Amino acid sequence: MCYAIPGKVLEVEDKAVTVSYFDEKRRARNDLYELIPGDYVYAQGGIVVQKISASEATEILKSWKELFFKLKEKDTRLASNPKDLRQIANSIRHKELGNSCCVHGIIEFSNHCTQRCLYCGLNSGKKAIKRYRMAPDEIIEAAYDNITGLGFKALVLQSGEDDWYDADKLVYIVNGIMKRSPALIILSIGERDENLYKKLYDAGSRGVLLRFETSNESLYSEFKPGRDLKGRISLIEKLRDTGYLVMTGFQVGLPGQTQDDILKDIELTASLGTEMFSFGPFIPHPDTPLAGHNASESLDLAIDTIARARIMKPDAKILVTTALETLDKEEGLKKGLMAGGNSLMINVTPAKLRRFYDIYPGRASIDMEVKDQVDKVLRLLKDIGRAPTDLGL
Ligand code: 5AD
């Protein structure tokens, strides 16, 4: 199974390439490979992440061709005659970006965390939780299985803020993955040093997932003791300027967060100039200070947030988070995708560890085999006319 359609390079202009997918032209950035017109590549999030042989590409393109056009037709049908906020957002997504939906894998490689975020079940004050760390070689091996074995072209490496993984270890991991099974590596390791991030860029990672959590400074300081919003924003901007594809956003439905805050959150997300957004409903964890909060409106608020962000930033990639699925197991992902979302994640953390990554309770899909999760996502995407692939920009 594959989660990307290979594109044929038409033009190369320094670091910008034009790639064609069944005669649709897209742009992508390339600084990892020597390319000439006629080469075949995979691009993820607008970045060339793999070069493949013409014979392999032709095989894969053959298997896609018919399905690709059928899915498009279905998506066009479902996106026509929009009537409400979510449908309008969906029709904008359709018009601006077509029917491609990136499917990323996520490996939660450590649940150790030095921070004490009030909303998070991994906060360092929580003693009862069983902590784990995957060894660097174990992470490289898991990445290989998912990229080469299962066809993922983008992989999020997520952990708490865990200094045990110093620059040497993290560079070793990124290098090891890029040598064995190149892909878009997206780091989600928290507020680490800017120079560390630079080293990891040089090692070949090209994405960072770092939410600012809330744009309300006083809520931020309250929920993240010892940290301030300005520092976080400044790091996000620096990472963007380094060349990282940055995925940012916030939690929706936090205690004390108003509708006005949420609009400001969306504005901040759009103004940071990053390419990808991630908004998730806040889900109270029973063992945290925010346990008693009533979050019954989080789900709808989060879906409307996706829609508003899509309207504000028509060409963004917007992730539909697992937290939506957690709150609505049957329809959460679909609702997000039908309200402007166009990106998903599948949890590929080794099964024995998944339940210990306890950021919030009842996480969806933690007991499912990766293959079953993939099948479920592919069924959903087919049902709504989306192609499980990323065509670049
Ligand atoms: N509910 C929803 N999302 C949460 N996160 C942490 N705790 C919770 C919670 N209780 C999110 C944060 C973080 C991401 C990895 O998980 O937004 O950035």
Side-chain angles (χ1 to χ4, degrees), residues 31 33 35 45 95 144 158 171 256 277 291 329 366 386 391:
D31 57 6
Y33 300 97
L35 294 177
K95 185 162 159 272
Y144 177 81
Q158 189 171 87
V171 165
F277 301 167
K329 295 229 163 24
I366 58 164
R386 307 291 173 88
L391 299 186

Side-chain angles (χ1 to χ4, degrees), residues 119-120 158 211 213 251 281-283 359-360:
Y119 46 77
C120 183
Q158 189 171 87
R211 287 178 172 170
E213 313 293 1
Q251 288 178 63
F282 163 63
I283 304 176
I359 39 181
Y360 51 78

Side-chain angles (χ1 to χ4, degrees), residues 106-115 117 119-120 122 133-134 139 155-174 177 185-201 203 205-211 213 220 224 227 232 235-236 239 244-247 345 357 359:
I106 176 165
I107 300 180
E108 296 150 344
F109 63 91
S110 159
N111 69 353
H112 287 257
C113 192
T114 53
Q115 297 306 300
C117 306
Y119 46 77
C120 183
L122 299 186
R133 287 188 175 111
M134 287 172 70
I139 300 171
L155 208 55
V156 179
L157 299 182
Q158 189 171 87
S159 66
E161 273 182 41
D162 184 359
D163 298 334
W164 185 83
Y165 297 90
D166 57 12
D168 286 349
K169 287 196 185 78
L170 288 168
V171 165
Y172 175 84
I173 293 165
V174 172
I177 297 175
I185 305 290
I186 302 168
L187 306 163
S188 179
I189 54 176
E191 262 178 79
R192 304 289 301 268
D193 185 69
E194 160 195 357
N195 290 318
L196 166 71
Y197 273 112
K198 284 211 176 92
K199 286 184 187 158
L200 295 171
Y201 189 88
S205 59
R206 287 291 177 272
V208 169
L209 167 53
L210 188 65
R211 287 178 172 170
E213 313 293 1
Y220 189 95
K224 288 179 81 73
R227 284 278 165 86
R232 184 99 164 176
L235 179 61
I236 292 173
L239 296 172
Y244 274 114
L245 183 93
V246 179
M247 211 184 263
M345 276 188 198
Y357 203 80
I359 39 181

